[in-house]
Amino acid sequence: MGKIYESKRSPSAELMGSEFVSFDADKGELTTRFTPPPSFASPRGAVQGGLIAGFLDEVMGGALLAVTEGSEHGTKLPLNLDMNLTFVSMVPLAPIIAKGRVVKHGRRVAFLEGELFDEAGNLLTRATSTALPTDIPEGF
């Protein structure tokens, strides 16, 4: 499991500077490193909030992709019904570590969590999502 996420990247993931780090199948947890480009800067010099949501969406979605890879119902991507974010600290324009995990999933709904950390391991942002597991689009 997790091999598909290592080999496949969406254009948005590439734009965000996404780099696969690891997948822990026992925890259902994907770890990714992002290197935000300078164009992601807010007027305060940190990553803009909406773009922070993109990092978390990517890592939570990647976790579902990795967990469902090769399952009897097929590999799935999430279609978010909601996403809640808690901003703990500003996200720097520097490499960050993202952890996304599948809390629970079935054929109709998935519950996901994600966190962003700075390189020292300090929590920056936390997110949860309720999503519909959907088939992977053709050509992905």
Side-chain angles (χ1 to χ4, degrees):
M1 284 193 194
K3 297 294 180 195
I4 194 169
Y5 191 82
E6 287 182 61
S7 62
K8 299 280 187 177
R9 288 290 189 283
S10 67
S12 58
E14 290 179 16
L15 176 67
M16 291 184 269
S18 171
E19 177 188 344
F20 174 81
V21 174
S22 66
F23 175 65
D24 183 329
D26 293 333
K27 291 181 180 179
E29 183 175 84
L30 176 70
T31 302
T32 302
R33 176 178 286 106
F34 290 103
T35 303
S39 60
F40 279 26
S42 71
R44 291 183 172 85
V47 177
Q48 191 271 343
L51 299 168
I52 292 168
F55 294 133
L56 290 158
D57 185 31
E58 177 66 25
V59 75
M60 290 187 295
L64 183 64
L65 182 73
V67 164
T68 60
E69 182 179 351
S71 71
E72 68 178 284
H73 299 293
T75 306
K76 301 295 182 183
L77 282 174
L79 179 60
N80 288 329
L81 295 171
D82 71 15
M83 190 160 107
N84 299 293
L85 283 84
T86 302
F87 299 99
V88 177
S89 185
M90 289 197 295
V91 175
L93 285 170
I96 53 176
I97 300 297
K99 292 187 178 283
R101 74 194 131 278
V102 176
V103 176
K104 184 175 181 179
H105 78 89
R107 290 177 55 195
R108 295 183 181 208
V109 69
F111 299 97
L112 311 170
E113 293 178 338
E115 297 150 335
L116 296 181
F117 300 92
D118 64 18
E119 290 190 304
N122 299 306
L123 178 66
L124 302 171
T125 308
R126 166 174 271 147
T128 59
S129 174
T130 305
L132 301 174
T134 63
D135 292 332
I136 296 175
E138 281 190 40
F140 178 76

